[in-house]
Amino acid sequence: MIDGIMQVASQVIETARQMNSLGINVNKSGNVSVRFQFHSVSGFLITPTGIAYDLLEPGDIVFVPLAADSLADILSDRLPSSEWQMHAQIYRQNSDIASIVHTHSACATALACQEMSIPPFHYMVAAAGGDHIPCVPYQPFGSMELAKVAASALSENIRACLLAHHGVIATGVDLNKALQLAVEVENLARCYLMVRQLGEPKLLDDRQMALVLKKFETYGKQK
């Protein structure tokens, strides 16, 4: 069990470091988590608060029980990310989500600071599971209010959202998929900002996006 948790913790650290090396996050902002079963307790492993990703060791990654109501319920030498409640609430409400990547990527965050969603200007918006990428209302960071609005947005197959005046949440069936989606959301945000400079964005209609979403059910899958 110890070897298993150290291996998964190492994967969390590598994902967090990739966020910065890929340019979708800076310094110690953002956070990463993955579902994990520790003995008989369901929960998740998450990056700690206040430690630079380059300095992290597997023992710094924090196990949080899904049933945790407060920091007193988390038995660890390190404090979890200030957004641990948001991760917990997302996992509680979405059983098919296994990993979460939260970034402050520049272009997506710029849209979030204007309280703007990403509409269907490009078919790859469907990569996030819906016909647009929503922006949830502002709530203070680290709050249960933020946890609830983020978790509610990530339902009905939506796998990414913007957090108003804050950043981005991307999820997946594993850490790699969540990271890939975070990169895709940032690329879409950058393209959308460019499109808006050219005039009123021309959007795909409901029928067109419904067809794209149908095609995405098998997109990129080998036999």
Side-chain angles (χ1 to χ4, degrees):
M1 175 60 74
I2 295 300
D3 289 343
I5 196 170
M6 290 297 104
Q7 180 180 4
V8 177
S10 295
Q11 293 169 1
V12 170
I13 292 171
E14 178 59 25
T15 302
R17 290 173 178 169
Q18 285 186 64
M19 290 196 308
N20 286 14
S21 64
L22 289 168
I24 60 171
N25 202 62
V26 295
N27 299 327
K28 295 179 290 186
S29 62
N31 32 73
V32 174
S33 74
V34 63
R35 279 189 192 269
F36 193 80
Q37 184 88 6
F38 188 65
H39 297 298
S40 61
V41 180
S42 296
F44 56 95
L45 294 170
I46 189 169
T47 46
T49 189
I51 303 178
Y53 296 141
D54 287 345
L55 301 178
L56 287 175
E57 299 289 343
D60 296 320
I61 303 303
V62 183
F63 176 74
V64 178
L66 270 186
D69 288 325
S70 70
L71 289 175
D73 298 319
I74 302 171
L75 303 178
S76 174
D77 293 333
R78 298 294 191 187
L79 291 175
S81 164
S82 60
E83 300 295 1
W84 69 268
Q85 292 186 98
M86 180 168 66
H87 290 247
Q89 196 70 11
I90 290 171
Y91 287 132
R92 290 174 190 138
Q93 292 189 208
N94 300 273
S95 60
D96 55 336
I97 290 176
S99 298
I100 298 170
V101 168
H102 168 45
T103 81
H104 294 177
S105 58
C107 294
T109 300
L111 293 175
C113 288
Q114 285 294 93
E115 302 179 5
M116 297 171 63
S117 299
I118 302 179
F121 77 103
H122 190 286
Y123 78 88
M124 280 300 292
V125 165
D131 60 6
H132 73 295
I133 300 174
C135 180
V136 303
Y138 174 76
Q139 296 291 348
F141 79 92
S143 67
M144 180 52 73
E145 290 78 13
L146 177 60
K148 289 178 178 179
V149 295
S152 294
L154 297 173
S155 59
E156 298 180 0
N157 299 319
I158 302 298
R159 289 296 168 258
C161 69
L162 309 185
L163 309 174
H165 306 279
H166 188 152
V168 183
I169 284 283
T171 68
V173 295
D174 56 39
L175 286 165
N176 186 54
K177 293 293 186 183
L179 182 64
Q180 287 180 353
L181 183 54
V183 172
E184 187 64 53
V185 171
E186 176 62 7
N187 184 60
L188 286 165
R190 181 167 59 251
C191 289
Y192 184 53
L193 288 172
M194 295 169 66
V195 167
R196 288 180 60 85
Q197 294 176 14
L198 298 174
E200 184 68 24
K202 302 182 188 305
L203 305 180
L204 297 173
D205 61 31
D206 291 346
R207 180 190 62 80
Q208 291 168 323
M209 283 303 293
L211 177 59
V212 172
L213 288 166
K214 182 66 177 177
K215 291 172 72 69
F216 259 73
E217 292 177 5
T218 56
Y219 176 76
K221 297 180 180 178
Q222 295 292 331
K223 293 182 180 179

